[in-house]
Amino acid sequence: MSSLPRQLPPDFRNGHMIVCGDDGLGHRLADELREVYRERVTLVAPSRAGATPTPTGRARASALLDRVSSAMTRTADTAPDVVDNWHVVEAQEVTGEVLAAAGVARAAAVALVHGDDEVNIRTALTARRLNPQVRLVIRLYNRKLGQHLEELLDQAAAVAGLDPVALDTSTTVLSDADTAAPALAATAVAGTSKVVQADGLLLRAVERTPPGRGGVTDPGLCTLALLSATDNDPAGTEGSDRSGAEGPQLLPDGDAVTAAAGRGTVVLEAVSYTGPVLPPGRLANRGASLGQLFSRRLRWSLFGLIACVLGLAVASWLTTGEDPVPAAYLTLLDLFAIDDPAIGEPLSRQIIQLLSGLAGLLLLPVMTAAVLEGLGTFRSASALRRPPRGLSGHVVLLGLGKVGTRVLGRLKELDIPVVCVELDPEARGVPVARRLGIPTVIGDVTEEGVLESAKIHRAHALLALTSNDTINLEAALYARSVEPDLRVALRLYDDDFATAVYRTLRAAHPHALTRSRSVSSLAAPAFAGAMMGRQILGAIPVERKVLLFAAVVVAGHPQLEGRTVAEAFRPGAWRILALDAAAPADRRPDLAAAHPADGDEQPPALVWELHPGYVLRPEDRVVLAATRQGLAELLGRHPRPHHAAP
């Protein structure tokens, strides 16, 4: 059942943006387009009247947070359908009729960000049929399916006669989990970089602590941001867009860095390519070590019995005068109760036979246990591992849903020890943890003993990434009661609630690192940039601000074209980081795509550490770091007064 709008306003009939979503990402993306890019937006979302009854218990508290967040992002029930550049279409299901009523025929771009991949695919096919030239941005968790869908929809656009120049951005498939995973993983790990990674490109950014008196901070390749002035003050606020002069400064110039004594910095430290990992050979990892087959206690029992048998064989050899081989053979016969009783034999021989028989009795249960453990090891090869007893310095990851699974993959790539905790044994990430051999605890993190099973008292960090804000908060508070200095990163939906949680935890534990992150707030800038036709390579959170990395062709941008690299730098807005050195005909269409997996060497296309005097040509393609407002200004959506270039 759909509630269709009466009529689109006249200024919504050409070139507006359509966002179709059923969760927080849809609302945040619509806000991003309206507030940053000043675009006219039509939001297609489920009807408020179709909401399910409120559950009880902890779920009720979480649902209350969702309703509060929805109230903050949606218009009130008594408000009209259109508020400035905001138009709402309420529909339980996005059909062709709903898209037509939302104005898809004349829309500039459509974002499909439902939580269900199947719904997004079906809607994308319908939107492409209704408007073959519309730009589509699709949220999909399945990467392989996303690549095939992108090719299919691009082919449909090409058949419809879309300009080849615009074809590169006609369809973009993104994953909010992939976009947010590097930042979430890096937040929990001390000494590791904040990472923006698209398969063919890896950017690392690290936080540098303020230097001592007279010291100078290593700038790396360039300084991306200055941390907030209250970063080390427990009573201070975490920097956001509303923090004013005390908040973090993105893309500062050299004078600002020099004047910011005592403030930490975020610098670009390294850039490298990580190609596809070749699968192991067929015979690799076929065997199992002794430690994997048998427990430590059983191994010591076996070694003890072997030493006992060897001692008895030596004693038999010395007392009977037999050769060593016959003496060892007689000992084995006695051990397995095969030899005749030593009646009439010397006393030493009789004593050795009795001891051998006793050793045989002890050997029987040990051999039985060894067989059972060996069979159990092979049978449980597909089962979840338990955390080892001596494990320490690891990351405890709560929640193996879409986001948790992606973060687990990032932590595995960084060779960081992880213990996962998941309530649902059928969760999406449980098979991934089993395949990677990651220790996993199945249980409710709010119950006593579950976090202890994950060795939380010896952990280095806690990543609470379940989809329930209340559970994440409860787990973090309990973990802090066990280990006050534990590094904690929370996935929280509501920004104001996340800020309150952050300030409270930091005030209570000033010496421990606390971070709160929203997946939708990390992903929304990348989706918005894709809707504007720009290739967004990733996003890095700087406290509660976001710094975007984008690939831009210089042509058509007067702020870049014909200027030197130094002149094109706009402090607080954008900064050129690299130049695509490949000829336009030889460029990879998507810098975020993986390198060919056929083993062929591909020369690096990007040149870093550009000379400040290099003059940008129209055909050049550059990689730049930009704020959300800076990227919008660069695209010419709402120009601000021009400042003289340094």
Side-chain angles (χ1 to χ4, degrees):
M1 186 76 180
S2 303
S3 177
L4 301 181
R6 297 179 299 274
Q7 181 72 33
L8 281 177
D11 58 345
F12 271 70
R13 295 177 183 175
N14 292 285
H16 65 290
M17 303 286 182
I18 300 177
V19 177
C20 303
D22 58 357
D23 59 9
L25 179 58
H27 295 285
R28 290 186 185 277
L29 176 55
D31 288 340
E32 187 85 10
L33 293 170
R34 293 168 56 231
E35 297 173 4
V36 177
Y37 295 95
R38 298 296 190 265
E39 287 291 333
R40 298 159 296 165
V41 179
T42 298
L43 175 64
V44 181
S47 172
R48 290 183 287 265
T52 56
T54 304
T56 59
R58 183 175 293 105
R60 178 185 299 169
S62 178
L64 178 60
L65 286 173
D66 291 340
R67 291 201 301 274
V68 172
S69 301
S70 298
M72 295 176 61
T73 54
R74 292 186 180 183
T75 56
D77 291 339
T78 57
D81 283 342
V82 179
V83 180
D84 296 329
N85 57 351
W86 174 263
H87 190 83
V88 179
V89 177
E90 294 184 349
Q92 293 300 113
E93 182 179 358
V94 185
T95 62
E97 183 183 15
V98 172
L99 288 176
V104 69
R106 296 184 178 275
V110 177
L112 308 172
V113 292
H114 286 84
D116 189 337
D117 285 4
E118 182 180 350
V119 172
N120 291 331
I121 294 173
R122 184 173 63 249
T123 309
L125 296 173
T126 303
R128 179 63 80 212
R129 175 175 55 83
L130 295 175
N131 185 351
Q133 298 189 354
V134 71
R135 181 180 296 123
L136 295 178
V137 178
I138 309 169
R139 171 188 183 182
L140 283 186
Y141 181 80
N142 190 321
R143 297 169 177 170
K144 292 184 179 179
L145 179 59
Q147 294 176 358
H148 296 311
L149 179 65
E150 189 170 334
E151 294 175 359
L152 175 64
L153 294 175
D154 281 346
Q155 290 176 0
V159 171
L162 185 65
D163 183 1
V165 176
L167 189 62
D168 289 342
T169 59
S170 66
T171 307
T172 304
V173 177
L174 297 174
S175 167
D176 57 329
D178 284 333
T179 303
L184 290 170
T187 301
V189 182
T192 60
S193 304
K194 294 181 177 180
V195 179
V196 172
Q197 181 176 356
D199 292 335
L201 185 69
L202 179 65
L203 303 177
R204 293 182 178 271
V206 295
E207 290 188 10
R208 297 281 171 82
T209 56
R213 183 179 299 273
V216 179
T217 302
D218 181 6
L221 293 178
C222 68
T223 300
L224 297 177
L226 294 172
L227 298 179
S228 61
T230 61
D231 184 60
N232 297 317
D233 180 8
T237 59
E238 186 180 26
S240 67
D241 291 330
R242 299 185 296 272
S243 298
E246 293 185 342
Q249 297 182 22
L250 303 183
L251 303 174
D253 57 16
D255 294 338
V257 174
T258 303
R263 296 179 65 168
T265 58
V266 177
V267 303
L268 190 66
E269 184 180 61
V271 181
S272 62
Y273 166 67
T274 54
V277 179
L278 295 179
R282 290 179 175 269
L283 299 180
N285 300 325
R286 290 289 297 271
S289 66
L290 188 64
Q292 293 174 325
L293 285 175
F294 307 122
S295 65
R296 183 178 181 183
R297 183 177 301 176
L298 182 59
R299 295 198 303 270
W300 279 111
S301 300
L302 287 172
F303 293 153
L305 284 174
I306 292 174
C308 180
V309 172
L310 290 176
L312 290 173
V314 172
S316 177
W317 168 47
L318 295 176
T319 57
T320 61
E322 297 282 350
D323 292 335
V325 176
Y329 179 66
L330 287 175
T331 302
L332 290 177
L333 292 178
D334 294 334
L335 185 70
F336 296 112
I338 298 176
D339 200 9
D340 293 332
I343 300 175
E345 297 288 338
L347 180 60
S348 59
R349 172 76 181 98
Q350 293 176 346
I351 294 175
I352 292 175
Q353 188 177 58
L354 290 174
L355 293 175
S356 299
L358 179 61
L361 292 176
L362 296 176
L363 181 62
L364 181 61
V366 173
M367 292 185 63
T368 302
V371 172
L372 293 178
E373 280 201 7
L375 291 176
T377 299
F378 286 111
R379 292 182 62 183
S380 62
S382 60
L384 293 171
R385 291 180 55 198
R386 300 289 297 176
R389 289 186 178 181
L391 182 64
S392 63
H394 58 288
V395 174
V396 177
L397 174 62
L398 309 183
L400 287 176
K402 291 182 177 181
V403 177
T405 303
R406 289 291 193 249
V407 174
L408 175 61
R410 298 292 182 180
L411 294 173
K412 183 66 175 179
E413 291 173 3
L414 296 172
D415 294 325
I416 296 168
V418 187
V419 173
C420 300
V421 180
E422 172 57 50
L423 175 62
D424 182 9
E426 302 298 326
R428 181 187 299 269
V430 171
V432 177
R434 181 184 296 114
R435 175 173 55 83
L436 296 176
I438 303 297
T440 304
V441 177
I442 300 297
D444 188 349
V445 296
T446 61
E447 294 181 356
E448 187 175 356
V450 174
L451 283 178
E452 285 81 357
S453 300
K455 315 297 182 185
I456 191 66
H457 58 286
R458 291 201 299 266
H460 174 72
L462 171 71
L463 265 176
L465 302 181
T466 73
S467 58
N468 190 311
D469 286 3
T470 310
I471 290 179
N472 292 338
L473 177 57
E474 184 174 348
L477 293 175
Y478 180 75
R480 276 286 169 79
S481 68
V482 175
E483 184 61 38
D485 294 335
L486 182 69
R487 185 182 299 267
V488 172
L490 297 170
R491 173 190 177 187
L492 298 176
Y493 172 74
D494 183 79
D495 273 342
D496 292 335
F497 179 62
T499 302
V501 169
Y502 166 79
R503 296 186 64 184
T504 303
L505 289 177
R506 187 171 65 170
H509 304 278
H511 300 294
L513 179 65
T514 302
R515 288 291 183 265
S516 55
R517 295 287 180 249
S518 168
V519 173
S520 56
S521 64
L522 291 174
F527 279 79
M531 292 188 73
M532 303 306 300
R534 287 297 172 264
Q535 185 186 145
I536 303 299
L537 303 177
I540 283 180
V542 179
E543 298 183 14
R544 301 201 65 77
K545 289 187 175 183
V546 177
L547 190 62
L548 301 176
F549 292 81
V552 175
V553 176
V554 172
H557 299 289
Q559 304 94 330
L560 305 178
E561 190 173 346
R563 296 174 178 263
T564 65
V565 171
E567 292 172 344
F569 173 37
R570 181 76 61 82
W574 62 76
R575 178 173 187 163
I576 295 176
L577 301 176
L579 173 71
D580 191 347
D586 299 331
R587 290 174 183 165
R588 287 188 289 127
D590 186 2
L591 282 176
H595 282 255
D598 56 7
D600 293 339
E601 292 281 339
Q602 184 170 7
L606 298 177
V607 177
W608 302 87
E609 297 183 293
L610 294 173
H611 190 280
Y614 176 81
V615 179
L616 298 173
R617 302 169 300 173
E619 64 270 20
D620 286 339
R621 180 169 65 166
V622 296
V623 174
L624 52 82
T627 62
R628 296 182 304 170
Q629 292 80 5
L631 187 60
E633 180 184 353
L634 188 62
L635 297 179
R637 297 297 170 174
H638 59 291
R640 295 179 296 186
H642 178 69
H643 301 283

